Amino acid sequence: MSTLTESVDLRAPPSPLIFTDSAVEKVRELLIEEGSPELKLRVFVQGGGCSGFQYGFTFDEAQNADDTVMVKNGVTLLVDSMSFQY
């Protein structure tokens, strides 16, 4: 009898979250302009706007424990747990 074991990162983003190569390169350019390669791109949702939500992004130095994290080609994308639902 054999057992198959798979390691799953519960905070790993599901496939609908796509961080394209062109987006990664644009973020890398912006990070160079900011002069701080340690910054990460944070995508968020907040209440407000005509449809009830506003979507935005900012650069952040901190990675929170509940963030979904995607790293591609050295660029880090963060989404907080509340925003990730939307």
Side-chain angles (χ1 to χ4, degrees):
M1 181 157 90
S2 66
T3 304
L4 178 62
T5 305
E6 184 177 342
S7 176
V8 177
D9 181 354
L10 297 177
R11 295 183 312 162
S15 57
L17 182 59
I18 300 171
F19 196 19
T20 65
D21 291 339
S22 59
V24 168
E25 289 311 309
K26 183 60 179 177
V27 171
R28 185 185 320 282
E29 290 173 17
L30 294 171
L31 291 173
I32 290 169
E33 286 179 23
E34 290 290 321
S36 182
E38 296 82 34
L39 290 175
K40 300 155 187 59
L41 177 66
R42 178 171 297 282
V43 178
F44 60 91
V45 176
Q46 61 187 14
C50 299
S51 63
F53 295 107
Q54 291 183 359
Y55 302 86
F57 62 92
T58 187
F59 291 119
D60 199 339
E61 294 178 351
Q63 178 178 321
N64 301 320
D66 69 336
D67 284 339
T68 295
V69 180
M70 179 181 275
V71 178
K72 186 169 183 179
N73 298 334
V75 176
T76 303
L77 171 73
L78 305 174
V79 183
D80 65 88
S81 61
M82 183 61 80
S83 296
F84 190 75
Q85 298 174 49
Y86 302 100

